[in-house]
Amino acid sequence: MLAKYMQIHRTRVVYLGSCSAVRRFSCRAYPFIPARDDLNAKLDSVPRKPPSSFPRPQRRHGSTTANRVSGIPRVHAGIPPTEAIDQVKREGVLIVENLVSKDSLLQSLQDVSPMFEERRNGNDEGEFFPPSTSRATGLLRHSPTYVRDQLMNPLLRAISSYFLSTKSVLWSEDGKPQEFITEPQASACIAFRIKPGARAQVLHKDDVVYHNENAEIDEWTEPRDLRRETGLTMFVAGSRTTRANGATRIIPRSHLWGNERMPDEGAAVPAEMQPGDALFMLSSCYHGGSANTTSDETRTVFASSMIRGTLRQEENQHLTISLDEISAYPAEVQRLTGFRTDFPGLGWVNLKDPMEAHQERKRSPPPPP
């Protein structure tokens, strides 16, 4: 069903042109680049205010974008990827109901619960992450179930591939263009637990970590905007999520804004969900966690963030898990989390794919210092 979007060929470079003139270069020409496994590999076996030196952004009341904000689109699990992608193009956000099964969700919660307990007395990180908000990080190491059913979810992979694949063309001496493609990678694998009394976050954009600069547009258009986004996050509700217990509030269509636009709290709507529902959100959307004003409800949410494969990960996956532990995962998980080499030469170790270099080192360990 997802083959059209998810199939990855062993080919690394494609010469564009007429069918009779198309030539492909195999990985064999570049031995440090691994052939790609099928994406259906089995996983079941895996045990503020702006500085005064800058002009203040304008607040646009009654703009076309604000007038069109009527809520966050909702669809059922099983939606074709093309339809989901179209929704995200238009609104920047999408809720998919019942994307993760109850059994999978319960197992993932059980896996991360000890991490919440260890950090329940964590330091106050200010308004953004006060002590009433606990975070469990490095889920790649702690929950294979989360990895299988959330991080590797086919719909997340399809949407990410569309918005975050980076393509470029280089002309060769024989006058034919070479197309290079770098696929998305996982940036952060986190779970949040927001307790009663938690304060609301300010509205913000996640792409600020990459200093992303966007011009204002009326609608998302291909191919013009294929490089516009730096990332995308899938939030999966681990518990009932309501406005009262801190549901993330989002400004739909704010992914179309330019950097000079100031967010308007009145345009934000809460992403209310049931356990197992998933919220897809582009990193250019304004959003923020709401205050948990209840006296007895704790909100739990999983966040799987994806970025372009050419960018630095927000959570350094290479240090969240040992090489032996990541080796237990299928090759496709390894590659998605950054343990890979992208053509023509991003990420190599000793001119080899990182996992190949690791296995080689295990067979012939270096002498002790």
Side-chain angles (χ1 to χ4, degrees):
M1 176 178 175
L2 296 175
K4 180 179 178 182
Y5 302 92
M6 308 297 289
Q7 184 179 6
I8 293 180
H9 299 282
R10 294 175 182 269
T11 302
R12 281 298 182 269
V13 183
V14 179
Y15 278 87
L16 306 177
S18 65
C19 294
S20 59
V22 172
R23 291 186 291 158
R24 296 177 183 269
F25 281 71
S26 167
C27 302
R28 294 194 186 104
Y30 303 91
F32 58 88
I33 301 174
R36 305 305 300 266
D37 291 345
D38 192 288
L39 278 176
N40 295 322
K42 299 293 185 181
L43 287 164
D44 293 334
S45 61
V46 179
R48 122 206 73 109
K49 289 185 180 180
S52 56
S53 58
F54 292 92
R56 186 174 181 83
Q58 297 180 355
R59 188 187 300 277
R60 302 186 184 182
H61 295 287
S63 67
T64 12
T65 300
N67 288 339
R68 285 186 291 199
V69 173
S70 59
I72 300 170
R74 291 176 178 269
V75 297
H76 294 290
I79 180 176
T82 48
E83 294 183 21
I85 289 168
D86 286 343
Q87 291 278 6
V88 176
K89 280 184 186 178
R90 285 192 295 270
E91 303 295 332
V93 293
L94 175 68
I95 291 176
V96 180
E97 298 175 344
N98 300 311
L99 186 68
V100 178
S101 71
K102 179 180 178 181
D103 289 343
S104 174
L105 195 62
L106 290 174
Q107 182 60 57
S108 297
L109 288 168
Q110 182 177 323
D111 292 342
V112 303
S113 182
M115 302 174 66
F116 285 132
E117 293 303 313
E118 289 174 7
R119 301 172 188 181
R120 65 183 182 278
N121 295 318
N123 296 327
D124 189 337
E125 297 181 48
E127 293 291 330
F128 215 72
F129 292 115
S132 49
T133 297
S134 301
R135 288 179 291 171
T137 61
L139 302 191
L140 179 62
R141 179 186 182 192
H142 297 283
S143 182
T145 300
Y146 156 82
V147 172
R148 182 190 65 206
D149 296 332
Q150 295 189 44
L151 186 63
M152 297 298 291
N153 184 275
L155 188 57
L156 174 61
R157 300 294 306 279
I159 297 175
S160 299
S161 180
Y162 179 82
F163 285 99
L164 304 177
S165 291
T166 303
K167 303 178 182 180
S168 61
V169 173
L170 177 67
W171 288 87
S172 62
E173 292 181 356
D174 60 5
K176 295 180 180 179
Q178 299 173 326
E179 183 182 66
F180 300 89
I181 302 175
T182 299
E183 295 152 5
Q185 64 176 329
S187 178
C189 306
I190 309 176
F192 298 89
R193 182 167 287 176
I194 298 89
K195 301 175 183 177
R199 301 184 291 268
Q201 290 180 327
V202 297
L203 292 172
H204 62 281
K205 300 190 299 179
D206 287 345
D207 66 358
V208 70
V209 300
Y210 299 110
H211 307 277
N212 198 30
E213 294 281 342
N214 280 334
E216 184 132 350
I217 58 177
D218 291 328
E219 62 179 1
W220 203 99
T221 303
E222 182 182 346
R224 180 193 66 188
D225 300 316
L226 284 174
R227 284 180 174 261
R228 184 177 177 89
E229 296 299 326
T230 59
L232 172 137
T233 298
M234 180 181 79
F235 299 94
V236 172
S239 61
R240 191 173 72 100
T241 299
T242 66
R243 181 195 295 266
N245 69 18
T248 298
R249 61 202 196 283
I250 304 172
I251 302 182
R253 299 183 66 83
S254 56
H255 67 304
L256 305 177
W257 294 3
N259 286 61
E260 78 285 352
R261 180 80 73 94
M262 179 177 286
D264 185 349
E265 186 67 56
V269 294
E272 296 187 307
M273 298 187 287
Q274 295 298 317
D277 291 353
L279 167 70
F280 292 85
M281 183 191 74
L282 293 175
S283 296
S284 57
C285 280
Y286 271 105
H287 68 287
S290 300
N292 187 337
T293 59
T294 67
S295 59
D296 58 354
E297 292 185 29
T298 296
R299 178 172 71 95
T300 303
V301 61
F302 292 87
S304 303
S305 296
M306 304 290 293
I307 56 170
R308 292 185 180 273
T310 54
L311 297 175
R312 184 179 179 184
Q313 295 166 327
E314 187 172 355
E315 178 186 40
N316 192 327
Q317 301 300 321
H318 301 86
L319 298 180
T320 64
I321 188 170
S322 72
L323 286 172
D324 287 338
E325 288 170 323
I326 191 66
S327 296
Y329 279 109
E332 201 54 47
V333 176
Q334 297 166 8
R335 287 192 288 269
L336 181 70
T337 51
F339 295 85
R340 74 189 194 201
T341 301
D342 286 304
F343 189 86
L346 283 179
W348 52 262
V349 177
N350 294 332
L351 298 179
K352 296 181 176 66
D353 175 78
M355 299 311 299
E356 181 185 347
H358 171 57
Q359 295 303 325
E360 191 174 272
R361 185 176 298 176
K362 287 183 68 175
R363 290 190 297 268
S364 304

